[in-house]
Amino acid sequence: MVPSAEHASGRASEHASGYAEAAGSGARTPRTVGARKLAALLPDPARSRPAYRHLAHAIGELILDGRLALHVRLPAERELAAALGTSRTTVTALYDLLRESGYAHSRQGSGTWTALPAGHAAKGVSRLLRPEDTAIDLARAAAALPGQILADTLAEIAPQAAGHAGTLGYHPYGLPELREVIADRFTARGLATTPEQILVTSGAQHGLSLVLALLAGPGDRVMVENPSYPNALEALRRRGLRTVSVPVTDGAPDESGGWDVEIVESTLRRSVPQLGYLIPDFHNPTGRLMPPAERARVLSAAHRSGTWLIVDETLAELALDAPAPPPFAAHGTAEAAGKVITTGSLSKTHWAGLRIGWLRAPARLVTELAAQRVATDMGGSVVDQLLALALLTRTDDLLPGHLDRLRERRAALTGALRRHTPPWSWHTPPGGLSLWVDLGAPVSSALAERALAHGVRIEGGGYFGTDPGLFENRLRIPFTLPPDTLVEAVQRLARALADEPGPAAPALRPHWIA
C-alpha cells in the first residue's frame, strides 16, 4: 500500500504500511558527546594559559568545522574536568565563555548544548559564502563548463524558453522531455527505466533531502560509508538520524575495491537500518570503485534486511582508467532493485552552477517524492531544465573532452605532489575528481588552517569522517583546476607545511623538510 500524500509530509516512520517502518516508541534519544571523546579533540589545558579560553576557542572551531555537531549535549562539568585532567573551575569558566560567545546554551535541568553564534555560519555554509579572492580553492570538487559551450547552448535554447513563457511553468516531476532523456540514459547504461521513474531535482543533494524527509524519521538508523560525502552526512545529522558506518579503505587495488562486504552484510543484518547511503562509483573522497560481485552482494543483503539504498551516482560517468560501471540497481533482481533510489546530477560531469539533478526510483515512490517536493519549491526552473536537456543530449560529444582534461590535471597534480611533498602517498583512482592523500601524520586540520594563510583553501580529512577526530592524516585534493594552478597549489601547501608554527599552532614540520 502506498502512503498518501498527506502522510508524505509527516514523519515517515508513522506510516502503518507505507515505505518506512515504525520507529519503535518514537522517543528520540538526546545526542551527546562523551567526555573522553571531547577531551581527545581538545588541546592539553596545561599547555596554554588561561586554559579555559584556549579550550573555548578549540570547541568553537570544532563546531564551525562541523566536527562537533550542533544541538549536541556537552559532558557534565565534573566529567569533562576529569577527562581533561583539569579543575572543575576551569571547565565552569569554559562553559560560561561558550555561552557568552554563543557557542553553547543551557537548559534548566538538562545540561549545556552546542550552538552557533548569531552572524556565524557552519563550514558547510561559510565555505560557499566566501567572496572570490586570490586563494586557490581545493575545498570543492566540481566541474566547470567551457564558457563558449555555455554561451552556444543558451543561444540554442532561447526559442524553446520563449515557447514556455505562456505557460505557468510548474513541473513538480520535471520537464517531461528531460525526464525522458534521463530515463533513456539509464536504459542505455544497462538499467531499463521509464520517465515515470525519474524525478528532476535541484541537484543530487536536493534529491537526497527529499528522500530523507519521506522515508526516515529522527532516531532511524542509516548505514553510511566512512569516509563519505560531507554534505550528505550533514543532511543525515540535521534529520536526527543515527549513522551506522562501514569502512571504505584506500589500500592497493584488490578484489574488494575498498569495501569489506562482510562488514556491510553484517551491518545490514544486525542493525537493520532504515536507509543506506552509498557512493560505489569512484567514491568521494577515496576514488574507489566497487566491483560488480560486491555490488550484487550488497544489493542482496539490503533486500534481505528491507533497507532502502540511496546510491549516489554523481561520479559514475567520470571513468578515467576503467569502463564506466552500469547502474548499481542493475546488479540484482528486479525485486531487490525495487528498493534502490539512484541520485545523479550535472554538477560533476557538466557544470556545478547548473543546479539540476535527478533521482530514479519506483514510479509510486516518485509520486510521493513529487508531493514532498511541492511543499518546498513547487518545481525547478524551466530555463535551467532546458539548458540541462540540451547539454545531456550532447553528453556523448562533451564528456570525452572533459575526461581528457581531468586526466591531464590528475597527472599534473600527482607530478607536483611527487616533487614537492615526497613522503605523501596515495593510490591513483580509476575515476572521479580527487586524490585521497595520506600525509603520514595526523596534521590534516592544522595544515588546512595554515594553508589558507598561503593562499590555498582545502578541507582537512576529518571533514569527511562520520565522527570527530577521524582521518586527520588525510587530505582530499581535487584535480579539477588547470594544471598550472594545481602545481602552484601544491607548492603553497609545501610551504605551509614547512612554516614554523606560532606559539599556539601545532608543529607540522616533518623530518624530511630541511
Side-chain angles (χ1 to χ4, degrees), residues 32 35 63 65 91-92 115 160 170 181 218 288 302 322 327 332 362 399 424 462 489:
T32 64
I63 292 171
D65 195 44
V91 176
T92 299
Q160 302 170 50
Y170 292 138
V181 167
R288 302 304 297 265
L399 189 58
W424 290 4

Side-chain angles (χ1 to χ4, degrees), residues 136-208:
I136 298 173
D137 192 351
L138 295 180
R140 288 170 279 188
L145 189 66
Q148 191 59 51
I149 292 176
L150 178 59
D152 292 345
T153 310
L154 285 170
E156 175 188 330
I157 69 167
Q160 302 170 50
H164 281 268
T167 71
L168 291 177
Y170 292 138
H171 297 278
Y173 291 92
L175 283 179
E177 53 267 46
L178 179 55
R179 297 174 75 198
E180 184 174 356
V181 167
I182 295 170
D184 288 346
R185 291 195 66 81
F186 272 106
T187 300
R189 293 175 55 216
L191 181 63
T193 302
T194 65
E196 291 74 24
Q197 294 173 284
I198 299 298
L199 180 70
V200 179
T201 61
S202 300
Q205 187 73 10
H206 178 219
L208 173 63

Side-chain angles (χ1 to χ4, degrees), residues 77 208 254 332:
E77 293 178 2
L208 173 63
D254 56 29

